[in-house]
Amino acid sequence: MKAFTALAATELRLLLRDPASLFFMMVFPLMLLVLKRGDSGAVPGYIAMIVAIGGMGALPGIVASYRERKVLKRLAITPVSPLVLLGAQLVAQVAAGLAGSVVLVGAAIVVFGAKAPGNVLMLAAAFLLCSVMVCTLGFVIAAVVRNTRGASLIGMLVMFPMIFLAGAAVPRNALPAPLRQIGDFLPLTPGVEALSNAWSGTVALFPLLILAGTIVVATVVAGALFRWE
């Protein structure tokens, strides 16, 4: 447990030292919030965007780089399992997403006078499930695309359309009907719905169950396809 905690803390420090990750997970959502004039209805979507940027935009390239540099292979013959490193990366991504989300929510409430979340416990559950879900998708990408540059590129190509079509960057009702229909089948959509429901105080379990199911399926797929080298 001590090794895992140390690894997770190290992964988090490395993540927060990356200028691109720091900008897109901390600064960019605040810029969007300012452009929306503090519209509190946009906050749940921006939270989903923050975690998607980490889980699908950053994580695949990081994991692929560990495999490409033989880090995972070397760990396989040490007491620290490669799974510990991957778990530490998952925790670091969730923690970074939480930090960005806290800054965003704090700015929305303190600076723009937005109402506090209607159901904090449901919001926490939705955040955790959404964060883990996008990270498991990131692991699937890293399992399929095994070089660093390719994994980073595919992660971005998957992430950017998804945040727009799932309602994270813009409301889904502002999209044309065909694009909304595509968004219905994207795994980030129930994440946005779960966060929005919790923010408004509505209790809705179905989006949370969809997120949990996606986590299970993506974990199984990633586990079946992933190779340490």
Side-chain angles (χ1 to χ4, degrees):
M1 189 64 184
K2 189 175 181 179
F4 178 82
T5 303
L7 271 174
T10 300
E11 292 292 323
L12 180 59
R13 282 197 300 271
L14 292 173
L15 189 62
L16 295 179
R17 287 175 184 172
D18 177 47
S21 296
L22 196 61
F23 175 79
F24 283 107
M25 297 183 75
M26 298 283 186
V27 180
F28 184 63
L30 291 175
M31 294 170 59
L32 293 179
L33 186 66
V34 171
L35 291 174
K36 294 285 286 187
R37 298 181 180 180
D39 179 13
S40 61
V43 174
Y46 292 165
I47 293 174
M49 180 174 62
I50 289 170
V51 299
I53 289 170
M56 289 185 286
L59 185 145
I62 293 171
V63 174
S65 73
Y66 288 155
R67 180 172 49 220
E68 202 168 41
R69 292 185 286 121
K70 308 297 183 183
V71 173
L72 298 179
K73 182 180 179 180
R74 290 196 294 269
L75 283 177
I77 58 174
T78 71
V80 180
S81 165
L83 287 174
V84 174
L85 179 60
L86 297 181
Q89 178 59 215
L90 171 65
V91 170
Q93 291 291 346
V94 174
L98 178 60
S101 299
V102 168
V103 170
L104 177 70
V105 172
I109 294 173
V110 175
V111 178
F112 296 103
K115 292 183 178 179
N119 192 320
V120 176
L121 290 179
M122 287 292 291
L123 186 65
F127 171 83
L128 181 60
L129 286 173
C130 189
S131 298
V132 175
M133 185 275 294
V134 294
C135 286
T136 58
L137 295 180
F139 283 126
V140 171
I141 295 170
V144 174
V145 187
R146 299 184 181 181
N147 64 82
T148 305
R149 183 174 298 179
S152 297
L153 177 61
I154 296 301
M156 291 290 186
L157 290 176
V158 171
M159 183 268 294
F160 275 113
M162 191 177 295
I163 63 175
F164 282 97
L165 298 179
V170 295
R172 292 189 65 215
N173 56 17
L175 299 174
L179 295 182
R180 287 200 303 272
Q181 291 173 354
I182 295 173
D184 290 339
F185 300 96
L186 296 177
L188 189 60
T189 301
V192 176
E193 292 176 356
L195 290 163
S196 298
N197 289 334
W199 187 270
S200 66
T202 303
V203 177
L205 297 180
F206 185 69
L208 299 177
L209 293 175
I210 296 296
L211 291 174
T214 304
I215 290 170
V216 172
V217 172
T219 300
V220 170
V221 172
L225 298 177
F226 199 90
R227 299 293 180 269
W228 300 124
E229 56 180 312

